[in-house]
Amino acid sequence: MKILNIVGARPNFMKVAPLHRAFSRYPDIESKIIHTGQHYDARMSDVFFNQLELPQPHYFLGIGGGTHTQQTAKIMLEFEPILASEKPDVVLVVGDVNSTIACALVAVKEGIPVLHVEAGLRSGDRRMPEEINRILTDSISDYLFVTEQAGLDNLKRESVPDEKVHFVGNVMIDSLVYYRQKSQQLDLLSSIGVEPDSYILMTMHRPANVDNEQGLRSIVQIARNTARHKTVLFPIHPRTLSNMEKYSLKEELEAISQVQLMEPQGYLEFLHLMESAALIITDSGGIQEETTYLQVPCLTFRDTTERPVTVEIGTNYLLRDLNPDTVEEHVQAILDGKAKQGQVPPFWDGQAAERITTIIREKLM
Ligand code: UD1
């Protein structure tokens, strides 16, 4: 069984690492990593390969940035000849980034079964590029591996046959469980000058929030209001940084005492920062899940979430607009000890990659 695993952007690396590790335990499975190069900075990519003990990618497509069409089309053009020469039995894609749909589409047209890990999630908001990628990838995949009940419900509603759908849990949580101890051992906080629970961690990179001046101004104000309560650590995504520079807002953000802008963090470092934070403010998808597992309160600046279990039973709150006043009320309530108590969702236990491997062995080999 030859499996080509596709990675492209930062949130893919921690999902593929446990799968590649699980596959590599079987001599009759050949697992190869294809990196599209959608993310290419050392801090957005290389550090994750090193820390997650992924091998050097067998192929690096080097496609870089661009419009969605350019990115998707370039990935397809570069991936097609690799597929032709490697002739894998299956192609495995994770998540919802442009690399996911691009490689799934090439594979399915070549008649190669596609396995989609983290299938079935829907925000219901088709303005999100990820939502389009999710819907399209699920509709052409042969095996759909689901992380939470809402994923099962969505696929049923879309009439996906039951036999294609498998509830396996969350491979991103596999990585968290596997690396948690190592991350806890880092001596990071003292070098930053903070104590556990003495800071709020913030990340923002969604196009809807950071690709327009009004959104960016709100983010600066949110950071300012939050910093009245505790130090804010803000590792800044390249998209957010370049837009802050474009609208001349970077200096304003830097000038707020108690806000510490940081480079994008490595996997272990970010895990450490999440685990020791008093709370997290974000618009990320994955961080909603990681904070639910860690039972750290999370304020998510999104109108909708494709991961509703994190709000229903986890520690996540959705704040529906970028309103700097709403954030303060929530920050204050959480710091006053009024945060809801979360639970860890079913199958988020570090074993999802094992379950997927068992299904592949039973059904495909
Ligand atoms: C992509 C994913 C998003 C995911 C996010 C995590 C899609 C549609 N979006 O968004 O779901 O949450 O990754 O980060 O696939 N850049 C760099 N260096 C890098 C990577 C990107 O400078 O290593 C720049 C790009 O050139 C571009 C911007 O950052 O200007 C955004 O990168 P892009 O890959 O288009 O999308 P993300 O916003 O990162």
Side-chain angles (χ1 to χ4, degrees):
M1 160 72 53
K2 187 196 273 193
I3 304 177
L4 297 189
N5 303 281
I6 310 302
V7 293
R10 185 168 62 178
N12 298 155
F13 306 129
M14 54 291 248
K15 294 172 191 166
V16 164
L19 289 162
H20 179 72
R21 190 177 309 112
F23 298 154
S24 301
R25 277 204 283 275
Y26 293 92
D28 55 354
I29 299 182
E30 187 183 3
S31 172
K32 290 193 168 179
I33 309 287
I34 317 294
H35 186 346
T36 66
Q38 179 176 342
H39 286 178
Y40 44 85
D41 283 357
R43 287 173 186 276
M44 298 293 284
S45 173
D46 301 3
V47 63
F48 291 85
F49 272 78
N50 296 335
Q51 295 188 343
L52 296 162
E53 299 161 278
L54 278 162
Q56 281 307 303
H58 298 85
Y59 294 90
F60 182 75
L61 312 187
I63 63 105
T67 65
H68 286 268
T69 300
Q70 287 165 346
Q71 237 178 19
T72 310
K74 276 197 230 164
I75 296 167
M76 291 181 71
L77 288 170
E78 294 293 326
F79 183 50
E80 188 181 40
I82 294 171
L83 202 61
S85 69
E86 285 286 335
K87 299 187 177 47
D89 296 293
V90 294
V91 168
L92 183 148
V93 296
V94 295
D96 54 18
V97 302
N98 289 339
S99 303
T100 309
I101 177 59
C103 292
L105 190 50
V106 174
V108 81
K109 294 237 172 167
E110 289 299 317
I112 296 174
V114 175
L115 318 184
H116 184 207
V117 175
E118 202 183 87
L121 298 181
R122 299 286 182 270
S123 67
D125 180 356
R126 290 198 179 204
R127 291 167 306 176
M128 283 179 79
E130 294 84 357
E131 182 75 350
I132 304 300
N133 294 342
R134 292 180 198 117
I135 294 168
L136 295 178
T137 305
D138 284 343
S139 71
I140 57 174
S141 292
D142 300 275
Y143 286 78
L144 294 97
F145 296 109
V146 175
T147 53
E148 65 167 278
Q149 181 62 41
L152 298 175
D153 300 342
N154 294 329
L155 294 173
K156 197 170 253 327
R157 198 174 321 112
E158 291 171 19
S159 305
V160 176
D162 286 347
E163 58 271 21
K164 286 187 169 185
V165 179
H166 305 273
F167 186 22
V168 292
N170 193 324
V171 288
M172 195 178 62
I173 301 302
D174 288 7
S175 274
L176 194 163
V177 170
Y178 191 84
Y179 287 108
R180 189 174 184 182
Q181 212 183 355
K182 199 169 179 187
S183 130
Q184 286 167 339
Q185 285 161 357
L186 295 180
D187 181 21
L188 185 61
L189 300 190
S190 54
S191 59
I192 300 172
V194 291
E195 304 270 323
D197 269 340
S198 74
Y199 64 91
I200 293 169
L201 184 62
M202 179 158 170
T203 77
M204 289 281 172
H205 75 278
R206 267 304 121 214
N209 289 340
V210 307
D211 280 2
N212 60 86
E213 185 175 352
Q214 197 194 341
L216 291 165
R217 286 195 180 279
S218 298
I219 290 169
V220 174
Q221 192 58 37
I222 286 165
R224 184 178 288 119
N225 290 2
T226 306
R228 291 196 202 121
H229 301 265
K230 277 189 192 291
T231 300
V232 174
L233 302 185
F234 191 171
I236 193 155
H237 185 285
R239 172 191 283 279
T240 310
L241 182 63
S242 71
N243 286 337
M244 287 279 178
E245 282 164 348
K246 179 168 152 196
Y247 293 107
S248 310
L249 287 167
K250 187 176 164 221
E251 292 71 24
E252 204 177 310
L253 192 57
E254 280 172 337
I256 309 169
S257 61
Q258 299 291 81
V259 171
Q260 212 166 313
L261 282 191
M262 305 166 84
E263 301 258 13
Q265 297 292 297
Y267 180 71
L268 298 174
E269 289 81 3
F270 195 74
L271 189 49
H272 191 100
L273 291 178
M274 278 196 287
E275 186 153 14
S276 302
L279 73 104
I280 302 189
I281 295 177
T282 191
D283 61 4
S284 154
I287 292 172
Q288 300 175 57
E289 295 184 337
E290 291 168 326
T291 49
T292 276
Y293 184 85
L294 295 169
Q295 304 191 309
V296 174
C298 181
L299 303 179
T300 301
F301 274 102
R302 302 251 314 260
D303 293 337
T304 55
T305 180
E306 62 288 339
R307 295 159 159 96
V309 77
T310 61
V311 176
E312 286 156 10
I313 71 164
T315 49
N316 187 26
Y317 300 78
L318 276 193
L319 301 192
R320 287 176 204 280
D321 52 28
L322 274 182
N323 182 342
D325 300 328
T326 12
V327 76
E328 265 207 288
E329 286 162 29
H330 279 81
V331 168
Q332 188 62 60
I334 289 168
L335 297 181
D336 287 346
K338 294 187 192 132
K340 59 183 170 182
Q341 295 303 306
Q343 290 166 40
V344 177
F347 285 167
W348 291 21
D349 57 0
Q351 299 300 316
E354 286 300 333
R355 291 189 193 98
I356 291 170
T357 309
T358 303
I359 292 165
I360 292 174
R361 297 191 68 77
E362 282 175 8
K363 307 250 180 205
L364 280 153
M365 292 176 72

